[in-house]
Amino acid sequence: MTVIALMAIFMVSCNNEAPKVEQKSSTDSSAGSKFKIAYVEVDSLMSQYNFCKDFSDIIEKKGQNIQKTLQDKESALQAAVNKFQQDIQSNKYTQQQAESVQASLQKQNADLQALQQRLYQDFQTETDKYNNALRDSLQHYLSVYNKDKKYNMILSKAGDNILLADKSFDITNEVVAGLNKAYKGIKK
């Protein structure tokens, strides 16, 4: 059901949000200036930045807890439905009793659907909050990092969105090291 969708969202959420970096015009006012470009490998950033790894662990556990909670509730409801069906076949209920039990089962099902929706929304809210924090930390770090480096543009390289780039423009390791150093300080 929706639990699979939750896990799918988790699996791609960390990699879906490519950091957004402001881009400036490529025209340079001084003719003799060199246009400096760098890029960051998003996949490497996501797999090596401790903030992302820590959150991935947290969200994975939360996703597993949501899945277990929903499975337990679904199993309990299914057992109650099965018992009701057996009791109906055994003529254990009067018409009014059967209608009352059936109404109770329908309410339990509606409650389960509402719980599922609420847990999904909470999960999505937490994931969005993380993605915003990740983007903010990256943008803040890059603005500080770039004060000395003076790049005109820093691109994010995810998959094959940059088809060819000289490895000398790759600043991923420096950025990851700096982000992890800053994150280590915050974590303590």
Side-chain angles (χ1 to χ4, degrees), residues 43-82:
D43 294 342
S44 297
L45 179 74
M46 296 303 166
S47 67
Q48 296 171 18
Y49 183 18
N50 291 333
F51 176 75
C52 187
K53 292 192 294 187
D54 290 348
F55 181 78
S56 293
D57 291 343
I58 291 167
I59 204 70
E60 182 178 4
K61 288 175 186 167
K62 183 172 184 155
Q64 289 170 350
N65 288 340
I66 289 170
Q67 187 175 17
K68 181 173 179 354
T69 298
L70 292 174
Q71 283 176 343
D72 290 349
K73 299 233 181 246
E74 286 173 0
S75 294
L77 180 58
Q78 187 60 49
V81 167
N82 291 343

Side-chain angles (χ1 to χ4, degrees), residues 145-157:
Y145 171 85
N146 202 37
K147 284 181 182 175
D148 293 332
K149 301 294 182 174
K150 307 266 189 241
Y151 288 108
N152 298 96
M153 186 181 298
I154 299 175
L155 304 170
S156 63
K157 182 177 186 292

Side-chain angles (χ1 to χ4, degrees), residues 67-145:
Q67 187 175 17
K68 181 173 179 354
T69 298
L70 292 174
Q71 283 176 343
D72 290 349
K73 299 233 181 246
E74 286 173 0
S75 294
L77 180 58
Q78 187 60 49
V81 167
N82 291 343
K83 182 179 180 326
F84 174 67
Q85 289 173 344
Q86 289 173 352
D87 290 347
I88 289 288
Q89 289 176 354
S90 301
N91 292 323
K92 289 189 176 185
Y93 296 118
T94 65
Q95 177 80 17
Q96 285 181 323
Q97 290 172 327
E99 288 172 359
S100 175
V101 171
Q102 186 174 16
S104 173
L105 291 173
Q106 288 173 341
K107 183 181 179 329
Q108 287 177 23
N109 187 46
D111 290 347
L112 176 60
Q113 297 301 317
L115 174 65
Q116 191 173 37
Q117 183 65 28
R118 184 177 55 80
L119 291 175
Y120 169 75
Q121 288 174 341
D122 290 349
F123 188 86
Q124 187 61 47
T125 299
E126 188 168 339
T127 301
D128 290 346
K129 190 167 90 174
Y130 154 74
N131 286 330
N132 290 336
L134 174 63
R135 184 189 66 245
D136 291 348
S137 73
L138 180 60
Q139 287 178 336
H140 178 270
Y141 177 75
L142 286 177
S143 69
V144 170
Y145 171 85

